[in-house]
Amino acid sequence: MSSAHFNRGPAYGLSAEVKNKLAQKYDHQREQELREWIEGVTGRRIGNNFMDGLKDGIILCEFINKLQPGSVKKVNESTQNWHQLENIGNFIKAITKYGVKPHDIFEANDLFENTNHTQVQSTLLALASMAKTKGNKVNVGVKYAEKQERRFEPEKLREGRNIIGLQMGTNKFASQQGMTAYGTRRHLYDPKLGTDQPLDQATISLQMGTNKGASQAGMTAPGTKRQIFEPGLGMEHCDTLNVSLQMGSNKGASQRGMTVYGLPRQVYDPKYCLTPEYPELGEPTHNHHPHNYYNSA
């Protein structure tokens, strides 16, 4: 079985767009730098097509064995597809033990099926960075920062709890100037009048509002009766207990026609009945026209 059987057909639609975007991230300048580095370490030449030269996994296994001897015990020289996939898998396991982070490592199909050469290049660059960190002479990648652990005495750690970092904010330049004791009266002054500002800190500006001119004149005790008068009649204020007719009036109100609570109210038709006469309060209740009323009850 040849490797052509593992090659996928052309992609269409969304798959084609994703593949094109990944291909655009591929850096040919980095490819040349990686080629020179791998060939210099292994002493073997890679063909014109960089990825096809690494596809069988032989060069990759020899390369990691140069960086870390004994990483891959057996390198398959066979042209069978599963042997080549096994070589790639062994290379991935070896670089994981070497220190490359799992999220930086490509999958075997990314190289063998030509699905994501950009990820393969990223893995080789991460391997170069790790090799440079371990002291190898590499002209590709960046050196990882070394981990520096610091240990502090328990006393120092306890002292740090009383210190607030500037990331939490600062109270520098804070002042209580101008503040008075709770409940202290604060005087008002108008800066427009040109008066000197009082020497004490108990005075505030008119921008804070004022109660100047406020008065309790005309206010009565709660529950006190207030008289009603009509300004249109020329009546004078008798006292501060009077209110205007704008508040309403009960002038002309009468209890005429009202009956004792509980008595029935008669219903009549003015077309056929005489005008009813209502007894006044206190008069005996009797019916003068027994035929003109109908009991509503």
Side-chain angles (χ1 to χ4, degrees):
M1 184 183 297
S2 63
S3 62
H5 292 84
F6 285 84
N7 293 332
R8 296 183 179 180
Y12 300 95
L14 182 60
S15 299
E17 293 182 8
V18 173
K19 190 173 182 179
N20 291 334
K21 288 184 178 180
L22 292 175
Q24 291 175 2
K25 297 181 179 179
Y26 192 83
D27 192 342
H28 294 279
Q29 178 64 31
R30 293 294 186 183
E31 176 187 314
Q32 183 61 31
E33 295 175 356
L34 290 171
R35 177 191 293 271
E36 295 176 359
W37 178 46
I38 295 174
E39 290 180 350
V41 172
T42 60
R44 301 184 59 168
R45 283 198 48 88
I46 303 175
N48 294 331
N49 192 315
F50 181 71
M51 290 298 170
D52 287 344
L54 303 177
K55 193 172 185 179
D56 56 7
I58 298 174
I59 296 179
L60 293 177
C61 291
E62 293 181 357
F63 178 59
I64 190 61
N65 281 334
K66 293 289 185 180
L67 296 178
Q68 186 72 30
S71 297
V72 179
K73 302 299 182 180
K74 179 182 178 181
V75 180
N76 297 308
E77 299 286 346
S78 174
T79 58
Q80 299 294 331
N81 293 327
W82 54 83
H83 287 160
Q84 295 178 0
L85 285 171
E86 185 179 0
N87 289 337
I88 298 175
N90 292 333
F91 171 76
I92 292 175
K93 293 178 182 178
I95 63 176
T96 303
K97 294 180 180 179
Y98 190 69
V100 180
K101 303 299 181 181
H103 59 268
D104 291 331
I105 300 176
F106 66 91
E107 296 181 358
N109 290 334
D110 291 339
L111 175 59
F112 194 77
E113 296 185 2
N114 303 316
T115 57
N116 193 351
H117 288 169
T118 304
Q119 185 61 37
V120 177
Q121 187 181 69
S122 299
T123 301
L124 294 177
L125 291 174
L127 179 59
S129 299
M130 183 57 63
K132 181 179 291 187
T133 304
K134 290 180 177 294
N136 296 311
K137 295 181 179 180
V138 185
N139 296 326
V140 188
V142 295
K143 183 179 180 181
Y144 291 130
E146 297 180 359
K147 185 177 181 180
Q148 297 182 359
E149 295 184 359
R150 292 184 174 88
R151 297 184 179 275
F152 297 93
E153 298 296 331
E155 293 77 9
K156 287 291 183 181
L157 295 176
R158 283 193 292 268
E159 292 178 1
R161 297 175 183 176
N162 300 327
I163 301 176
I164 300 177
L166 289 179
Q167 293 179 351
M168 304 292 292
T170 178
N171 59 358
K172 190 177 181 180
F173 308 118
S175 172
Q176 292 183 335
Q177 182 181 2
M179 297 184 65
T180 58
Y182 291 105
T184 305
R185 184 179 62 179
R186 305 186 71 185
H187 301 283
L188 300 176
Y189 76 98
D190 191 352
K192 296 182 180 179
L193 300 179
T195 58
D196 295 335
Q197 185 175 354
L199 298 178
D200 60 353
Q201 300 294 336
T203 305
I204 59 177
S205 171
L206 284 178
Q207 294 178 353
M208 305 296 292
T210 179
N211 59 359
K212 185 177 181 181
S215 173
Q216 292 183 338
M219 297 185 64
T220 59
T224 306
K225 182 177 64 175
R226 304 184 69 186
Q227 304 297 332
I228 299 176
F229 72 98
E230 185 177 357
L233 300 179
M235 298 175 61
E236 296 181 357
H237 293 270
C238 297
D239 52 26
T240 59
L241 303 178
N242 297 328
V243 296
S244 172
L245 282 178
Q246 293 179 352
M247 304 297 292
S249 172
N250 60 358
K251 185 177 181 181
S254 174
Q255 292 183 336
R256 185 176 182 276
M258 295 185 65
T259 59
V260 181
Y261 291 105
L263 292 182
R265 303 186 66 185
Q266 307 296 331
V267 180
Y268 76 98
D269 190 345
K271 294 183 179 180
Y272 305 103
C273 303
L274 298 177
T275 304
E277 295 181 0
Y278 300 100
E280 298 293 339
L281 291 176
E283 295 183 1
T285 58
H286 60 273
N287 192 353
H288 297 283
H289 303 282
H291 300 289
N292 294 340
Y293 303 96
Y294 303 91
N295 195 331
S296 61

